[in-house]
Amino acid sequence: MIDINFASLRLIGLTHTITNELVTFADAAPDARLMRVAEVHRDAIVLHDGAQTCQARQRSRLLQSLDAQQTSLAVGDWVLVDCVAVGTHWIGARIPPQTQLARRSADGSRQPLASNVDTALLVMGLDRDFNPRRLERYIALAHAALVDAVVVLTKADIGIAVDERMAQLRQRLPASVPLMALNALDAQQTRSMLAPWLDAGQTLVLLGSSGAGKSTLTNTLCASAQPTGGVRKGDGRGRHTTTARSLHQFAGGACIIDTPGLRSWRLDAEEDALTAAFDDIDALARNCQFRDCHHQAEPGCAVRDAVDADRLFNYHKLLREVRRSQQTPLDRIAERAKWKVLLKTVGPRSRSKRA
């Protein structure tokens, strides 16, 4: 029988939905324990049981199973652990995650960021870190994983043109995405504004660039001691002080996953998920004169003049990216062949015009 201390595991996000999944693991070892992944390192996995942490290793059958699914363990995963020797913990199985945030690397492989997340706090500084396009990319990432997104603008006490930037985002972003500005060093203000998402059993993940204030926010909420650093004077970018994802407990019963800043990454999303993140464009597009309107130069377009031009540009950019990621190798070969034919016809035409 699987050992479950619900009262203790509740403090690190255990829900009844997760426990219901355990009925499919009838063949688990008699002394198997349910634990949660708190950190993932190259040579070890750090697990949490609600009271303390321990290091563990993965059994070969689990590695083979995850490799077949083209995935790996991520912070936030729930796992079954066998204690087969003194001081040695072995992970025998992973409970299928209810939600999982992931990105695509340059080679197209899928890299999980965090599992079993309820809310993504999208952190952006009100200094030179301010970048609405990047924020829209994060919102699309959360929507693709069916995770609620909350925009948290930090450094409100030292930010640049705070009121103007808040007004810009309220006009640009979907009304369904909560938006707030705060000073992450002010514990009372931070906990008060984020209280609706800090209930017992909730799991939050912090996403944002380096230097945005994610670790400062974690330290303020969880009274932890995550290392923090300043930003570069030249461009205001962070120095990647946080180097690994980690799970932290909040005194009220929620838990928070802190993450390093994402450098360059591609969305792990389908076209429908991206459309949901830009639902204002999708709603307006129904009134366009043509069904296949690209919202560029077509007559009767209901989107082009009603949506922020930069937001529309970013939508097209992300849409191209998503479509490329869904292409098969044969699709890419066919597309290259098509462009080769078009380019060959351009040369003679341009020469004849010049003649």
Side-chain angles (χ1 to χ4, degrees), residues 327-342:
Q327 285 181 329
T328 65
L330 290 177
D331 292 333
R332 297 190 186 97
I333 293 172
E335 186 173 6
R336 284 197 297 269
K338 181 187 73 174
W339 281 106
K340 284 181 181 179
V341 172
L342 291 174

Side-chain angles (χ1 to χ4, degrees), residues 121-182:
L121 300 183
L122 310 181
V123 184
M124 186 171 70
L126 283 164
D127 51 5
R128 281 181 285 182
D129 179 59
F130 187 79
N131 188 325
R133 288 188 188 178
R134 188 199 316 130
L135 189 58
E136 288 171 339
R137 180 180 288 264
Y138 282 120
I139 292 174
L141 175 69
H143 274 279
L146 302 179
V147 171
D148 294 333
V150 176
V151 175
V152 179
L153 303 177
T154 59
K155 307 179 186 179
D157 54 326
I158 59 172
I160 304 169
V162 174
D163 293 337
E164 291 84 348
R165 287 177 167 180
M166 287 288 290
Q168 176 187 351
L169 290 180
R170 285 197 178 97
Q171 185 274 331
R172 176 167 177 161
L173 299 180
S176 58
V177 178
L179 173 67
M180 65 188 71
L182 51 79

Side-chain angles (χ1 to χ4, degrees), residues 205-225:
V205 64
L206 304 181
L207 298 175
S209 61
S210 292
K214 300 187 299 298
S215 295
T216 300
L217 198 60
T218 301
N219 292 342
T220 299
L221 291 172
C222 303
S224 56

Side-chain angles (χ1 to χ4, degrees), residues 69-268:
Q69 301 172 47
Q70 296 183 341
T71 188
S72 59
L73 286 182
V75 174
D77 272 323
W78 289 96
V79 295
L80 294 179
V81 179
D82 304 329
C83 300
V84 298
V86 177
T88 303
H89 296 73
W90 290 91
I91 305 174
R94 179 190 70 158
I95 312 301
Q98 301 300 305
T99 59
Q100 187 175 71
L101 291 162
R103 65 176 176 179
R104 294 282 177 179
S105 61
D107 62 358
S109 60
R110 187 174 185 270
Q111 298 179 342
L113 301 175
S115 297
N116 299 303
V117 172
D118 299 294
T119 305
L121 300 183
L122 310 181
V123 184
M124 186 171 70
L126 283 164
D127 51 5
R128 281 181 285 182
D129 179 59
F130 187 79
N131 188 325
R133 288 188 188 178
R134 188 199 316 130
L135 189 58
E136 288 171 339
R137 180 180 288 264
Y138 282 120
I139 292 174
L141 175 69
H143 274 279
L146 302 179
V147 171
D148 294 333
V150 176
V151 175
V152 179
L153 303 177
T154 59
K155 307 179 186 179
D157 54 326
I158 59 172
I160 304 169
V162 174
D163 293 337
E164 291 84 348
R165 287 177 167 180
M166 287 288 290
Q168 176 187 351
L169 290 180
R170 285 197 178 97
Q171 185 274 331
R172 176 167 177 161
L173 299 180
S176 58
V177 178
L179 173 67
M180 65 188 71
L182 51 79
N183 173 11
L185 295 173
D186 187 332
Q188 182 176 358
Q189 179 197 42
T190 300
R191 292 175 182 175
S192 174
M193 296 184 74
L194 293 176
W197 300 278
L198 294 173
D199 292 335
Q202 292 292 300
T203 298
L204 298 85
V205 64
L206 304 181
L207 298 175
S209 61
S210 292
K214 300 187 299 298
S215 295
T216 300
L217 198 60
T218 301
N219 292 342
T220 299
L221 291 172
C222 303
S224 56
Q226 286 282 91
T228 60
V231 297
R232 296 191 303 226
K233 293 183 179 180
D235 55 10
R237 290 191 172 187
R239 304 174 187 272
H240 293 285
T241 308
T242 301
T243 57
R245 301 172 191 91
S246 54
L247 184 140
H248 306 265
Q249 290 178 280
F250 175 65
C255 55
I256 298 172
I257 299 175
D258 190 12
T259 65
L262 299 177
R263 290 181 174 89
S264 59
W265 54 281
R266 292 190 297 171
L267 279 174
D268 177 48

Side-chain angles (χ1 to χ4, degrees), residues 139 143-144 174 176 270-280 282 311:
I139 292 174
H143 274 279
S176 58
E270 296 182 354
E271 193 169 329
D272 290 343
L274 181 64
T275 301
F278 290 83
D279 55 357
D280 55 334
D282 184 51
R311 175 171 171 80

Side-chain angles (χ1 to χ4, degrees), residues 36-100:
R36 196 171 196 187
V37 177
E39 296 179 34
V40 176
H41 301 287
R42 184 172 300 177
D43 56 348
I45 306 292
V46 178
L47 302 178
H48 207 304
D49 65 358
Q52 59 186 2
T53 60
C54 66
Q55 289 195 353
R57 298 175 63 185
Q58 303 177 65
R59 290 194 178 278
S60 58
R61 67 171 180 268
L62 174 60
L63 289 170
Q64 293 171 3
S65 174
L66 294 175
D67 187 60
Q69 301 172 47
Q70 296 183 341
T71 188
S72 59
L73 286 182
V75 174
D77 272 323
W78 289 96
V79 295
L80 294 179
V81 179
D82 304 329
C83 300
V84 298
V86 177
T88 303
H89 296 73
W90 290 91
I91 305 174
R94 179 190 70 158
I95 312 301
Q98 301 300 305
T99 59
Q100 187 175 71

